[in-house]
C-alpha cells in the first residue's frame, strides 16, 4: 500500500473512532448571557485598533458575540461549498482511494454545520449571508480539483487556529468552548489530509501545467486567502454590535498594522506550506 492510501485508511479509522451524534452531544443553554466573552478578545477582528479600544468592556463583549456569529456563519458557508465539491468527487473515476474518506468528510462537515447553525439560529436568530463570489471558467487537466482543494486547505487551516485557541480559552462561555473543541477534534485531521492530497495532485499535474497556469493558480489562491480574511471583518457584525459606519470600520481595520500582523501570524503555517511546495509563487501581502 502506498503512503497516501495508508494515510487515508488511518484517517478513516480515526473518524470512525471519534464518531459523535451532534444532537445528543451538546447541551444548549436556554439563553446566552451577554456579559461574557464569545470570542477570544485577541481574535476579535478589531482587536488592537482604536475601534476596539474605544469600546466599553460591555460593548467589547457584545462585539465578541457577533464575531462568534460571524465566525460560525463563515464556517457554515465554507462547509457548504466543501460538501458540494466533495459530493461531486465521491466515487468519481480515479478517486477509489479517497472515496471512503469523502464519506467521513461529508458526515463530519454536516455535523459541524448542525452545531454552528444551531448556535447562530438559537442565540442570534440568523446566519450572516455568504459574501464570497464564485467565478467559473475553463481549466487545464487537474487544475479545477487542485484549486478546489487548495481553497479548502486555506479555509480550514485558518479556522483551526481559531478553534484551537478558543477551545482552551477559559474566559469564553462554555458552549463556545465546546463548539470550538468539537470542531477542532474533527478538523485536526482535515488540514493534514488536504496537504497530502495537494502534494499528490501537484506532483501529478504541475509538470504538465504551462507557466501561465502555474501563475494563475498561485494568483487565484492568493486572492482566495485575501478574500477569506476579509470575511473575518464583517460590517454586518459591526453594525449588530452597535458600531457606527460599519463599512468604513471594515476598510480601515484591514489597513491597520495590528490586524495585518494578526493575519500573518494566524496564516503563517498555511503560507509556509504553500510557498515551500511552490504552489504560491510569491509571498501574499495580507
Ligand atoms: Fe468543519
Ligand atoms: Fe473540515
Amino acid at each position: 500500500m502506498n503512503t497516501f492510501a495508508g494515510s487515508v485508511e488511518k484517517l478513516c479509522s480515526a473518524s470512525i473512532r471519534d464518531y459523535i451524534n451532534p444532537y445528543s452531544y451538546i447541551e444548549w443553554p436556554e439563553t446566552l448571557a451577554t456579559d461574557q466573552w464569545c470570542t477570544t478578545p485577541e481574535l476579535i477582528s478589531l482587536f488592537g485598533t482604536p475601534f476596539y479600544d474605544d469600546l466599553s468592556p460591555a460593548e467589547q463583549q457584545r462585539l465578541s458575540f457577533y464575531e462568534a456569529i460571524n465566525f460560525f456563519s463563515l464556517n457554515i458557508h465554507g462547509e457548504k461549498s466543501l460538501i458540494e465539491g466533495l459530493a461531486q468527487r465521491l466515487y468519481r473515476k480515479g478517486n477509489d482511494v479517497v472515496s471512503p474518506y469523502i464519506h467521513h468528510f461529508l458526515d463530519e462537515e454536516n455535523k459541524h454545520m448542525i452545531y454552528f447553525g444551531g448556535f447562530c439560529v438559537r442565540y442570534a436568530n440568523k446566519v450572516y449571508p455568504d459574501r464570497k463570489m464564485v467565478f467559473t471558467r475553463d481549466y487545464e487537466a487537474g487544475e479545477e480539483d487542485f484549486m478546489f482543494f487548495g481553497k479548502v486547505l486555506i479555509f480550514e487551516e485558518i479556522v483551526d487556529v481559531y478553534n484551537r485557541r478558543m477551545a482552551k480559552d477559559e474566559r469564553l462561555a462554555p458552549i463556545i468552548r465546546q463548539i470550538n473543541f468539537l470542531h477542532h477534534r474533527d478538523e485536526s485531521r482535515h488540514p493534514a489530509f488536504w496537504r497530502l492530497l495537494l502534494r499528490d495532485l501537484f506532483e501529478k499535474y504541475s509538470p504538465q501545467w504551462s507557466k501561465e497556469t502555474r501563475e494563475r493558480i498561485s494568483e487565484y489562491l492568493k486572492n482566495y486567502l485575501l478574500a477569506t480574511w476579509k470575511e473575518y471583518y464583517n460590517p454586518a457584525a459591526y453594525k449588530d454590535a452597535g458600531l457606527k459606519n460599519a463599512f468604513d470600520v471594515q476598510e480601515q481595520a484591514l489597513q491597520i498594522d495590528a490586524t495585518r500582523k494578526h493575519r500573518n501570524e494566524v496564516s503563517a503555517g498555511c503560507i509556509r506550506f504553500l510557498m515551500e511546495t511552490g504552489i504560491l509563487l510569491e509571498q501574499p501581502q495580507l
Side-chain angles (χ1 to χ4, degrees):
M1 192 188 295
N2 67 33
T3 45
F4 183 66
S7 305
V8 173
E9 223 178 271
K10 273 195 212 128
L11 288 164
C12 285
S13 310
S15 282
I16 293 167
R17 190 190 61 221
D18 288 349
Y19 192 87
I20 62 147
N21 174 351
Y23 294 104
S24 57
Y25 204 85
I26 298 178
E27 273 185 46
W28 298 97
E30 202 54 44
T31 54
L32 201 68
T34 49
D35 57 343
Q36 58 184 342
W37 294 104
C38 288
T39 301
T40 291
E42 297 77 15
L43 295 178
I44 291 176
S45 62
L46 300 179
F47 186 84
T49 74
F51 304 113
Y52 184 82
D53 296 340
D54 289 348
L55 299 176
S56 68
E59 289 168 332
Q60 290 174 345
Q61 286 183 329
R62 183 177 161 84
L63 175 62
S64 86
F65 170 74
Y66 286 104
E67 289 265 313
I69 299 297
N70 186 50
F71 181 55
F72 292 169
S73 298
L74 60 90
N75 268 283
I76 291 170
H77 300 307
E79 287 164 343
K80 259 171 28 187
S81 64
L82 172 54
I83 283 184
E84 208 179 293
L86 286 174
Q88 282 174 14
R89 288 163 176 86
L90 185 66
Y91 296 114
R92 188 185 276 177
K93 198 162 170 271
N95 283 353
D96 310 6
V97 173
V98 290
S99 283
Y101 195 45
I102 291 180
H103 277 294
H104 292 293
F105 263 115
L106 293 171
D107 169 57
E108 289 167 9
E109 298 302 345
N110 182 49
K111 282 173 180 163
H112 303 164
M113 291 192 294
I114 292 169
Y115 48 74
F116 289 137
F119 184 93
C120 293
V121 172
R122 247 184 207 87
Y123 304 121
N125 206 17
K126 67 168 139 192
V127 169
Y128 289 129
D130 193 5
R131 297 185 294 136
K132 271 207 177 80
M133 308 241 247
V134 183
F135 301 102
T136 49
R137 55 175 180 77
D138 292 334
Y139 301 98
E140 267 198 68
E143 187 188 350
E144 192 181 7
D145 271 0
F146 189 79
M147 295 209 295
F148 171 72
F149 292 118
K151 285 194 298 184
V152 173
L153 173 91
I154 291 170
F155 184 82
E156 292 207 326
E157 292 224 358
I158 295 176
V159 164
D160 198 45
V161 174
Y162 278 65
N163 287 155
R164 254 186 287 139
R165 294 189 190 169
M166 290 204 269
K168 284 193 297 214
D169 188 345
E170 301 208 338
R171 293 168 294 180
L172 299 179
I175 182 74
I176 293 276
R177 278 214 313 274
Q178 189 183 22
I179 289 176
N180 279 285
F181 166 77
L182 277 180
H183 197 227
H184 169 63
R185 205 173 66 144
D186 284 345
E187 293 296 330
S188 59
R189 291 187 291 273
H190 295 184
F193 175 73
W194 304 128
R195 285 186 181 209
L196 273 174
L197 186 63
L198 280 175
R199 275 187 201 278
D200 196 62
L201 291 173
F202 199 63
E203 270 170 32
K204 196 149 115 202
Y205 292 110
S206 67
Q208 309 159 32
W209 288 336
S210 62
K211 187 169 163 274
E212 290 71 35
T213 300
R214 289 280 308 275
E215 284 168 358
R216 194 166 60 220
I217 291 174
S218 170
E219 187 67 14
Y220 181 87
L221 292 178
K222 184 190 83 186
N223 288 335
Y224 180 81
L225 177 63
L226 296 175
T228 298
W229 269 120
K230 202 170 172 195
E231 292 195 308
Y232 280 74
Y233 299 73
N234 187 351
Y238 301 154
K239 193 163 169 267
D240 284 338
L243 273 76
K244 303 245 164 21
N245 305 321
F247 281 94
D248 295 342
V249 172
Q250 177 202 34
E251 208 175 299
Q252 290 173 32
L254 281 160
Q255 306 301 328
I256 293 174
D257 276 352
T259 73
R260 268 186 216 288
K261 202 168 152 244
H262 169 73
R263 294 192 290 281
N264 276 301
E265 186 241 323
V266 171
S267 5
C270 175
I271 293 174
R272 201 178 315 118
F273 168 79
L274 294 169
M275 294 293 299
E276 276 170 11
T277 45
I279 297 168
L280 279 187
L281 299 170
E282 57 178 22
Q283 186 80 20
Q285 297 303 315
L286 302 178

